Amino acid sequence: MASQPKRAPNFQAVHSIIIFVFIIILIPFVSSSDSAVARASPATNTIAKQSEAVALLKWKASLDNQSQSLLSSWNETSHCTWVGIGCNDANKVTNLTLDSIGLKGTLSGLDFPSLPHLVKLDLSDNLIYGSILSQIGSLSRLASLNASINHLSGTIPKDIGMLRSLTTLALYTNNLTGSIPASIGNLRNLTTLILYENSLKGSIPQEVGLLRSLANLELSRNNLTGSIPALIGNLTNLTTLILNENSLNGSIPQEVGLLRSLIALALYTNNLKGSIPASIGNLTNLTMLYLYKNSLSGSIPQELGKLRSLISTQLCRYLAHLVPFYVI
């Protein structure tokens, strides 16, 4: 009997069978993988969206119990609805404004790098104590920093000079010590620098003369020594220069006369010597001039008669004029 010829294998059918088996085997893994992604993605997205909230809740937990009750809205709801919190369109925290509500605690529990979009930080008029952490320098978008009227101690960190977007720096009425860091000269956008009523020492850094946008400079009631830097004459936008109640010495620099926008000049209760510079007569917008309780000598320059906007002046301890001051 003749043998039957071998039938050629049907490769198309075999291929279809292999694909079918492969799909049957693969389906459970794909389903499992999809489920895992479905479970992980929302969690991952939530964590990404809530990283700022986590940082804020951690700081809240570090505050005293009464302070935590003041932040009762800081819970599982959207952090952009919390008291004191402002967000941009992407739900990123841009404002942290908690002034005058009685918060008590430190800044050590506040993770500044977790708030990279922060533009305004206002914790003024509270009971915040402890030091200002160097990591505050990570807030590259920060335009306004106000931690005044608290109990902050320690030094002003040099990292403050990394806040190049800063326009307002107010740390007055605290217990800050050490010197004013030279890095403050990096804050070229700064318009307001208020550090009065602390225990700062050392000299006024020359780098202050680099702050050409500065309008308000108030360093009174500290322990500052040394002379008033001549580079202060660069601050042609300055309207307020308040340096009273320190231990400044040397003479009043002639360059003060370059501050033609100046409205208030207070240098009283220091150790200043020499004469009142005639260049002060250039300050025709000046309304307040206080130079008493120094060791100034010489005559009152006639050029002060040009200060026709002056409504209050006190050149010595017992001489005050509350009407326009003219020298003939």
Side-chain angles (χ1 to χ4, degrees), residues 152-174:
L152 292 170
S153 57
T155 61
I156 301 173
K158 64 180 181 180
D159 306 78
I160 212 89
M162 298 172 66
L163 305 180
R164 295 177 184 268
S165 298
L166 211 60
T167 59
T168 298
L169 177 57
L171 300 175
Y172 62 88
T173 313
N174 276 291

Side-chain angles (χ1 to χ4, degrees), residues 265-284:
L265 176 60
L267 304 179
Y268 66 88
T269 315
N270 277 291
N271 299 319
L272 298 172
K273 299 179 180 180
S275 59
I276 300 172
S279 62
I280 283 184
N282 298 330
L283 309 181
T284 54

Side-chain angles (χ1 to χ4, degrees), residues 102-157:
L103 289 182
K104 185 176 183 180
T106 71
L107 297 177
S108 60
L110 185 55
D111 185 19
F112 290 117
S114 294
L115 302 170
H117 301 274
L118 204 60
V119 173
K120 180 180 180 181
L121 176 59
D122 188 351
L123 301 175
S124 61
D125 194 15
N126 281 295
L127 301 169
I128 306 295
Y129 59 93
S131 60
I132 302 172
L133 303 182
S134 61
Q135 64 173 217
I136 201 169
S138 65
L139 301 178
S140 60
R141 292 180 172 88
L142 197 66
S144 178
L145 171 57
N146 188 349
S148 56
I149 317 178
N150 277 290
H151 300 286
L152 292 170
S153 57
T155 61
I156 301 173

Side-chain angles (χ1 to χ4, degrees), residues 159-293:
D159 306 78
I160 212 89
M162 298 172 66
L163 305 180
R164 295 177 184 268
S165 298
L166 211 60
T167 59
T168 298
L169 177 57
L171 300 175
Y172 62 88
T173 313
N174 276 291
N175 301 314
L176 296 171
T177 56
S179 59
I180 300 171
S183 62
I184 216 159
N186 297 330
L187 309 181
R188 305 300 172 85
N189 294 309
L190 206 62
T191 60
T192 299
L193 176 58
I194 309 181
L195 304 178
Y196 68 76
E197 284 187 347
N198 279 287
S199 297
L200 298 172
K201 61 182 181 179
S203 59
I204 299 172
Q206 296 282 338
E207 288 78 5
V208 166
L210 301 173
L211 306 179
R212 294 177 181 269
S213 298
L214 206 60
N216 301 301
L217 177 58
E218 301 186 28
L219 306 178
S220 61
R221 299 182 185 177
N222 279 289
N223 299 316
L224 297 175
T225 55
S227 59
I228 300 171
L231 287 176
I232 209 162
N234 293 338
L235 309 182
T236 54
N237 292 308
L238 207 61
T239 60
T240 305
L241 178 57
I242 310 295
L243 304 178
N244 55 277
E245 296 179 70
N246 280 289
S247 297
L248 297 171
N249 53 43
S251 60
I252 301 172
Q254 290 281 346
E255 288 79 3
V256 165
L258 299 173
L259 308 179
R260 294 176 183 269
S261 299
L262 210 60
I263 294 172
L265 176 60
L267 304 179
Y268 66 88
T269 315
N270 277 291
N271 299 319
L272 298 172
K273 299 179 180 180
S275 59
I276 300 172
S279 62
I280 283 184
N282 298 330
L283 309 181
T284 54
N285 293 308
L286 206 63
T287 62
M288 293 184 293
L289 175 60
Y290 297 131
L291 304 179
Y292 66 87
K293 288 196 74 174

Side-chain angles (χ1 to χ4, degrees), residues 252 265-269 272 274-277 280 286 288-305 307 310 312-322 325-327:
I252 301 172
L265 176 60
L267 304 179
Y268 66 88
T269 315
L272 298 172
S275 59
I276 300 172
I280 283 184
L286 206 63
M288 293 184 293
L289 175 60
Y290 297 131
L291 304 179
Y292 66 87
K293 288 196 74 174
N294 279 290
S295 299
L296 298 172
S297 59
S299 60
I300 298 174
Q302 291 189 359
E303 287 79 2
L304 264 63
L307 306 182
L310 210 60
S312 181
T313 184
Q314 193 160 344
L315 305 182
C316 66
R317 190 66 184 92
Y318 303 105
L319 174 63
H321 296 268
L322 300 179
F325 179 77
Y326 306 111
V327 177

Side-chain angles (χ1 to χ4, degrees), residues 40-77:
S41 294
T44 302
N45 290 337
T46 299
I47 290 172
K49 290 178 181 177
Q50 299 297 322
S51 60
E52 294 175 324
V54 169
L56 291 169
L57 287 172
K58 181 180 177 182
W59 180 54
K60 172 187 173 182
S62 74
L63 302 174
D64 76 340
N65 291 335
Q66 183 178 0
S67 297
Q68 292 182 40
S69 66
L70 295 171
L71 303 178
S72 59
S73 65
W74 291 27
N75 48 42
E76 297 302 321
T77 60

